[in-house]
Amino acid sequence: MENVRGYSKSYYISAVAGIILGLAMLVWPETSMQTFCYTLGAVAVIFGLVKIVMYFTKDRMENLMQPDLVVGITATAFGAFVLLKSEFVLSILPFFTGVFLLIGAILKLQAALDLKRLEFRAWWVVLIISIAMFALGGLLVANPFDAARVVVILIGAGLLADGATNLADMFLITSLYKKARNKPKEKNVAVHVVDAEEAEEITKEPSAPANTAKTSFLPSVRRKSREKA
């Protein structure tokens, strides 16, 4: 249960971050790409340094089988590369964003089919969003646009759609998980009720033969008394 909660929290955070980033790119398409590049680099460097510090400050047993040092060095190197080579990163960013959206579209397609199998009425909404994300990802990979503004708007729209869909998917998954957890409790309550009813019937059943025995015993006593008389 704790693992599910931790996973849902991280998923919610990433979904909200995607929505905020997509809205920023739609509202400020001229400056958001450069800002995004610097923000990504700075966050990666900070994250990597925190992981490196955690590796050297945690207990040795806690570091066992934990790749904090490798993750920290990789994230720091990636962030430094993004900050130093921001122009190169901006040139390849549409392609990698398109690949990211294509992968997300495939995952959304599977989520839509799973929701249909679970008989959710709004499964087709996720299907439409997955198709739209697939189209946006294909456009960004092909990149037939000369204007950077159009590319930024497409990236923002794709990130916004992906974040909103992830948020809706996680809400549905958590609601299904809660319903699945409550079902065994309902079954246990029903079993206890049935057991109580059976126990009442069992306690009532012995009284019936005793009464019949008494009623059958009385006529025989009367007959014997008459014969003696």
Side-chain angles (χ1 to χ4, degrees), residues 38-49 71-72 74-80 82:
Y38 287 136
T39 304
L40 178 63
V43 170
V45 170
I46 294 172
F47 176 78
L49 292 176
V71 173
T74 304
T76 305
F78 173 75
V82 171

Side-chain angles (χ1 to χ4, degrees), residues 120 172-184 186:
F120 271 90
L172 292 174
I173 291 171
T174 51
S175 62
L176 283 174
Y177 183 76
K178 290 179 180 178
K179 289 180 180 179
R181 286 190 63 207
N182 292 330
K183 281 184 178 180
E186 294 176 357

Side-chain angles (χ1 to χ4, degrees), residues 48-80:
L49 292 176
V50 170
K51 283 291 184 180
I52 293 173
V53 172
M54 288 175 61
Y55 175 79
F56 287 104
T57 56
K58 286 195 308 184
D59 185 75
R60 293 180 180 180
M61 294 302 297
E62 292 182 2
N63 285 328
L64 190 64
M65 302 300 292
Q66 294 292 329
D68 288 338
L69 183 61
V70 176
V71 173
I73 294 174
T74 304
T76 305
F78 173 75

